[in-house]
Each structure stands twice: as structure tokens, then as C-alpha cells.
Amino acid sequence: MSDGAQDVLDRLARQRGDGCPSDDALAAYLQQALPADAQAALDAHLQTCPACINRLIDARELETAAHATEPLPPRLQARVRASVAASLAGPSPRPARSSARGMDRLRSLLRPRALGAIGAAAVMALAVAVTLLLPPAETPPDLTPRGTPLDVRLESLRPAVTPAGILLADEDGAWQVSISAQTRSGVAVARIQHPASTLPAASRAGLTAGAALIVLPVQGETVNAEVQRVQDARWQDADGGAHQGQLLEFSASRAEPGAALLTADLRLAGLCVAFDPATSLGLAVPIMEINQEISREREKNR
Amino acid sequence: MSEPVADDDFPGLLARARRRDPAGLEALMEQAAAFSWRMLRRFHTLSEAAREDLAHDVVLRLLERGLAQFSGSTAPEWRAYLKRMTINHAISVLRRDDIPPLWRFEEPEIDPSREMEQVDAYRHLAECVGELALIDQQIFWMRTRELPYGEMVEMLGIPQGTIASKYNRAQQKVTHCLEEVGLR
């Protein structure tokens, strides 16, 4: 069939005329729930109305899909349940693209023992670090892994109420993002330190005030955070070294314990973090994106 | 997974989910995921992992705002809402990733200078196709929309061989109708 003929058929399939029935009437027709005379009248209409036949097919598809007994894939079912649990435990979760491959990758990168000791601020800071390295929401990340795998090391793991530091570095240590985080009367401050001269601007533009940051169960408790303020900053470390980066303030509150597995989905960065208190495994999915940023930047610098 | 909900029971389930009753919300979201998952089968160019991501995205959207924004109350309205949300999201992802969709989504334009001529052609074509039995017309349009035979069997309750032979006859008739309006 020619493209022209196909175009005409496509058009014909959508061109509604006068007296076309409502969607509800079509659904009732399918279920044979209409009075006999209405059923017959609709039969007659359908006979000469390709658009309504196609609407009827739509309705049939919907009916069949809604009443299918085909089981959900177990992984999808687990994700749905985790999202519902997260939603019930706190503010609505943020939509995010997620990737099982990314989860598996990070599962292998993060050490359960280390994460078991990490406090709320440190876990949040990890999410902040990943978030700040990702492009803004307008350009959702391509989760296809490329380039050299990124090694993630966690340092200075301390309870949530004391300063905590996390180091993200690639294999040769050329790229580093270190984070300091502390809580003060429910407000945590994270300093994102990076070699600002080489970090792509787009990767720093992810967070704005008012963004819901994360919902994580930490040692049985769920922590909700909301970004209060983001600003560029310069500071010195304990050895007198000068740094520049971003100062991020977020409020943190605690909610009721949720289900065994809760997720935090960050729309801003396409980041999905899940933390299982039973196994102390934390999963931040699109960490591959950091890897891509690094690879792209290396290409540019060559 | 919870069993599919009968249409008559849907308003009760919706009310429970809106009250954030845990079992009700979970059941409704699982139904929605199953529905989206199934609708997404028609996008043959999507990988299984991508289908799973998209179905999960639909659930996340519902949890965030979609459930609150749903203004209907009946099961058919909910299905239409989910279908729209699922397909729009799938299309946007396909476009973003430059993956060709299975079907054409935009309506073809009518050339304004030939509008009357084309309207006449459509009318004639509709009458010509309308000479087919209703079931044959449905089968023709289903195949034109590239629905797999397996789904057609499920939807129509007719054996695949019967569907195939009816489709062949319908296609011949439609080809004849197209020739009558100068298309082939």
C-alpha cells in the first residue's frame, strides 16, 4: 500500500462525523449493557463509521488490558510497591527514570558495611553529590553506560549529627567531589567541592530551592528533606586549601518507619535512590551519568 | 499481584486509594502498572527494560499528581486516562531517544486546496469499506494498526485462522475501495 493510501486510511480511522456515540456508550456496547434498541442503533452507526470502529477497538484494547491476568514482572511489581510505600511514608515521590543496570552497578560499587555505618546526612550528601553532577531535568539522562567505570569511595562515615564526608573519585583521582554535611537544628548543610574550572556548567544546574530532595529510611527511620537554598561558595579546608563549589542547605525531618524497602526518586536528576535497612544496601541508580560527564569532559580536554 | 478489579468495584477502590489506604493504593497502582505494561506492548521498538521503566514512571506520576488530578469516577474513564498518560509518555521517550514509534501518531494533514475533493473521497471510502461485515472491518483496522494476531484472538474470541482469512478478504475489498478513489 502506498504512503498516500496509508495516509488516507489513517485519516479515515480518525475522522469522526455527526452522531458518534460517547466513550461510555461504546464501553457499554462492548459489555452488551445497552438496551436492545440502543445496541442495534450503535451497530448501524458502526457499520458506516470507521472512526467509531477504531474507537471501539481502542475500548476493546482498554478492556482487555484492564482485565488481563498476566502477572506483572516481579521486578516491576517490587518497584511499584516500593514507590507506593515511599509515597505513604512521606511526601509524594518524584518521578524518575531508573535502570536496573545502574542499580546493579551501584550495588557493586557501594560497600554494605560502609553504608551500614553511614548516617542520614552522609546518605543525603551522597544523593546530593550525584544530583549535582547530573544534568537538569529538561535533558533526562541517557542511562547507557559508557566510558571508564567510576569508583566510589566513602570516607569519614560518622553519625548524622556530626560532619560527614564522602569522596567520589575516578580511578586516577583526577576528579573529586567531596562533601561535608552536618545537621543544625534539623537543617543540614552540604558543601559540594569540585574542581570548578573543569566541571561542566550544566552539571551544576540541577537543584533549586524548594525541591524535594530525598526520602530515605536510615536505620529504620525515614528522613525527608527539602532544598532550602543553593549558592556558589568558596571556603578553606582544615589544611588551608582553597576550594569553591556550591553550598546547599536542606531541611530534614523524620517520618514514621516505612516498609522494608523504600525508594527516593529524584525528578531533578533522574536519580532513584533505594535504601534497604535490612541489608544496609543503598542504591543510587544513574551514577553512570557521572561517568558520562567525566568521559565527555576528558574527551574535550584531550 | 492483586486480581483485576471488576468495573463495579472500581469506584470503591479509587476512593480507598484517594484516602491513601495502603492496601487500596497499592492495589490501584499495581493495576495501573499492569495496564500500562500491557498497553506498552504495542510499542514493539521498546526494550523490555524500557517498558518496565515507562510503566513504573506512570505509577510515579500517578502517585505524585496524577491520581489527584483524575477527575473521573468510572473504570472506563480511568482506563482512558491511563492510556493517554502511558502513550503520551511513551511517545515522548521514543522521540527523545530517536526511536521510531510503531505507528504514526499525528493525523495526516488535509491539503486545504483539495479539501472538498478529499472529503468526498473519504465519504466514498467510508461507504465502500462499510459494505464489509462489522467484524471484518474491525479485523481490518486492527491489522492496519499492527495489533498482533495473539491479541486479536484474545480481544475477539475468534481463532487465528479465521481472523487471517477474514483479514485477507477485507484487505482485498479495501484495496478495491482505495482504487475507486484513485489510490492504491
Side-chain angles (χ1 to χ4, degrees), chain A residues 104-248:
Chain A
D104 291 340
R105 171 71 186 148
L106 194 64
R107 192 193 294 272
S108 69
L109 291 173
L110 297 179
R111 293 168 299 177
R113 257 188 321 176
L115 274 169
I118 198 168
V123 177
M124 284 184 189
L126 170 62
V128 171
V130 177
T131 301
L132 286 174
L133 281 166
L134 293 171
E138 292 73 29
T139 54
D142 170 12
L143 299 178
T144 310
R146 299 187 194 97
T148 313
L150 182 72
D151 187 18
V152 177
R153 303 185 191 98
L154 305 176
E155 288 189 352
S156 306
L157 303 173
R158 295 174 191 172
V161 291
T162 62
I166 293 177
L167 176 69
L168 301 178
D170 67 355
E171 284 170 335
D172 57 17
W175 273 75
Q176 293 186 349
V177 177
S178 62
I179 295 170
S180 300
Q182 61 188 86
T183 55
R184 283 198 309 262
S185 308
V187 175
V189 178
R191 289 191 301 192
I192 314 300
Q193 178 185 337
H194 52 72
S197 58
T198 53
L199 191 67
S203 63
R204 300 198 296 267
L207 287 174
T208 55
L213 182 59
I214 199 165
V215 182
L216 277 177
V218 177
Q219 295 167 353
E221 290 179 305
T222 302
V223 177
N224 306 318
E226 184 176 282
V227 176
Q228 299 294 316
R229 195 154 60 116
V230 181
Q231 61 184 52
D232 290 327
R234 296 172 185 274
W235 67 91
Q236 289 190 326
D237 60 23
D239 299 321
H243 303 282
Q244 68 179 75
Q246 288 177 309
L247 187 69
L248 178 81

